[in-house]
Amino acid sequence: MNTALFLFRFSILIFFGFIVSACTNYSTTASVQAPPTLISITNNGNSNFTIKVRAQNPEFIFQGYRIYSGATENLAQNPTDLNMGDSCILAQAAIVQPLEYTFEIDPSTNPNTTGVSCRIFSTLTPGTYIAMRTLGLSVNLQNSTSSYKVSMSSNALIVP
C-alpha cells in the first residue's frame, strides 16, 4: 500500500515539475485594476479632510491608492504626470469584497484617527477637484524592475 501511495505522489510531482519547467509563456499584458469610487469629502478644518471611498481590488498586485487634484474635473482625472499624486500604500490588504475606505488628507504627520484606513500627507485647496486611482505592482521580468501601474481614474469631487 505504501508503494502505491509513493508511486502516485511521485507521478504527481513529476507531472507538476514538467508543467512548471515546460511553461515558458507568460502574459506581458498588465493586469487592469478597478478604479475606486469617491463617495464624499468632508472638511474637518485646519487643512484636514476626510474622504469616503468605495473600492474592490481582488488582485494580489494591489498596493494602494493615489490621489490627484486639479483646478478642473478634467485636470484631476487626467493629470499630465501620473506619478505626481500623493499615495496611500495598503500592500498588506488582500481584498476580495467591495469595501468602504475612509482616508484622511492632512499635511501634518499626525497618526491616523480611529477608523481611518490610511492618511495621505497632502494639502488640498477648497474649490479644486480631486480624483483617485488604484495602484498595482507592475514587474518587468526582462530587466527585473518593478513600478506602480495606475488604474483608470475615479469620479471627481470638488473640495469643500
Side-chain angles (χ1 to χ4, degrees), residues 16-132:
F16 283 118
F18 174 75
I19 295 296
V20 170
S21 65
C23 183
T24 57
N25 297 326
Y26 54 88
S27 174
T28 57
T29 304
S31 176
V32 177
Q33 293 287 309
T37 301
L38 302 181
I39 298 171
S40 66
I41 181 168
T42 306
N43 188 339
N44 301 331
N46 298 328
S47 301
N48 184 322
F49 296 88
T50 301
I51 300 176
K52 298 278 186 182
V53 176
R54 185 92 169 149
Q56 177 179 357
N57 296 287
E59 304 279 341
F60 70 93
I61 63 172
F62 167 72
Q63 298 294 299
Y65 298 97
R66 186 171 287 158
I67 190 169
Y68 301 92
S69 63
T72 66
E73 184 176 355
N74 188 47
L75 287 174
Q77 290 180 316
N78 303 300
T80 55
D81 183 2
L82 293 176
N83 295 316
M84 290 181 62
D86 295 303
S87 300
C88 173
I89 305 302
L90 296 169
Q92 72 278 7
I95 304 158
V96 294
Q97 296 296 319
L99 291 179
E100 185 172 295
Y101 291 106
T102 301
F103 293 101
E104 249 183 357
I105 312 299
D106 191 352
S108 73
T109 56
N110 295 334
N112 286 355
T113 304
T114 304
V116 171
S117 304
C118 194
R119 178 180 291 262
I120 300 176
F121 302 105
S122 181
T123 301
L124 296 179
T125 306
T128 60
Y129 290 83
I130 60 164
M132 290 183 98

